[in-house]
């Protein structure tokens, strides 16, 4: 955002300044658009799923394909967070799903 404001303040030609503002309005609109929020949410889910699996792997716990597939298929951030916490103490990858 700072860069966009800086460029705007440096443009002396009114037509160029208006073109810049039109471009930036469209860009800023995209980041507030529901599609952009969906993309960000999907990125958070993917990152959290990777974290769950990495915790198990870093701890030297074998991750069977069935566990990997279930974690990667999950789209619930709260559930993935719970699994990440369980992964910190689990002795076996299947313990992630205990009680579910």
């Amino acid at each position: 955002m700072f860069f966009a404001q800086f460029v705007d303040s440096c443009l002396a030609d009114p037509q160029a300044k208006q073109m810049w503002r039109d471009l930036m309005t469209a860009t800023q609109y995209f980041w507030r658009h529901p599609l952009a929020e969906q993309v960000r949410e999907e990125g958070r889910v993917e990152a959290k799923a990777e974290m769950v699996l990495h915790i198990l792997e870093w701890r030297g716990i074998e991750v069977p394909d069935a566990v990997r597939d279930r974690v990667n298929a999950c789209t619930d951030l709260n559930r993935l967070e719970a699994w990440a916490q369980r992964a910190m103490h689990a002795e076996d990858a299947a313990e992630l799903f205990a009680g579910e």
Side-chain angles (χ1 to χ4, degrees):
M1 187 60 152
F2 175 76
F3 177 73
Q5 292 171 341
F6 174 74
V7 170
D8 187 78
S9 68
C10 292
L11 292 170
D13 179 7
Q15 186 177 8
K17 185 173 272 206
Q18 187 57 49
M19 288 173 64
W20 176 255
R21 288 179 177 175
D22 290 345
L23 285 169
M24 289 300 96
T25 299
T27 301
Q28 290 175 14
Y29 171 76
F30 173 76
W31 293 111
R32 292 188 303 259
H33 192 276
L35 177 60
E37 179 55 36
Q38 180 183 347
V39 169
R40 284 191 294 274
E41 182 72 13
E42 289 171 2
R44 287 189 288 268
V45 166
E46 184 178 317
K48 187 69 75 170
E50 287 178 10
M51 181 180 69
V52 171
L53 298 172
H54 284 311
I55 290 170
L56 293 171
E57 291 166 356
W58 292 330
R59 296 188 59 232
I61 297 173
E62 183 180 340
V63 181
D65 289 341
V67 170
R68 185 176 305 281
D69 292 345
R70 184 169 174 186
V71 170
N72 285 326
C74 183
T75 59
D76 182 342
L77 277 172
N78 291 330
R79 177 168 284 156
L80 288 166
E81 178 63 31
W83 290 349
Q85 291 175 12
R86 290 179 192 163
M88 298 291 289
H89 306 287
E91 298 295 323
D92 182 86
E95 288 182 35
L96 293 180
F97 316 124
E100 293 185 11

